[in-house]
Amino acid sequence: MPTERVTARIRGVPDQSALERPVFVGGDQRPFGELMLAEVEELGAELAGASGLGHRSRVGAVAAGWRDLAAAMREAGARRVSDLDAESTAAFAERLWIVPPEGGLLQGGATEA
């Protein structure tokens, strides 16, 4: 997998690798693909603590996504996100909003006034 590129079309940034997209963890921005298992677990726990009622209730789904990513990494014996297969990495990148989901509000379709 390390030699494969996981790409996603992001409006204005064609073919940018999802693995290269920045994620804020441990007080710094790191590329998604370089995140270690412990950092993924940390993000899941941090976001789970922020979920609750109102607008925070939406955070729960993302927190669950980070926990699921950690479980997938453990199951695959992956030390880094980039150690996972390309299909799994791309699916998690979209689920965690590392890249906007296809057909989402951030993808095309915007009208100009």
Side-chain angles (χ1 to χ4, degrees):
M1 165 54 202
T3 58
E4 293 181 51
R5 286 181 55 89
V6 177
T7 58
R9 287 208 174 272
I10 302 169
R11 188 176 186 165
V13 188
D15 295 325
Q16 182 175 3
S17 173
L19 295 175
E20 296 169 3
R21 299 282 296 162
V23 175
F24 189 79
V25 62
D28 200 12
Q29 299 248 353
R30 305 253 330 273
F32 178 58
E34 291 182 15
L35 296 181
M36 304 294 284
L37 175 58
E39 293 168 318
V40 170
E41 292 171 330
E42 177 186 328
L43 283 166
E46 181 180 327
L47 289 173
S51 62
L53 300 174
H55 70 281
R56 290 183 165 191
S57 66
R58 297 180 183 187
V59 174
V62 177
W66 284 104
R67 289 191 305 269
D68 291 347
L69 174 57
M73 290 174 70
R74 280 191 297 275
E75 185 176 315
R79 293 182 51 224
R80 291 185 177 85
V81 171
S82 62
D83 293 336
L84 292 173
D85 65 88
E87 187 175 317
S88 295
T89 304
F92 278 111
E94 189 171 305
R95 181 175 173 195
L96 300 171
W97 283 73
I98 304 303
V99 295
E102 276 191 49
L105 294 174
L106 300 177
Q107 295 282 314
T111 59
E112 294 182 29

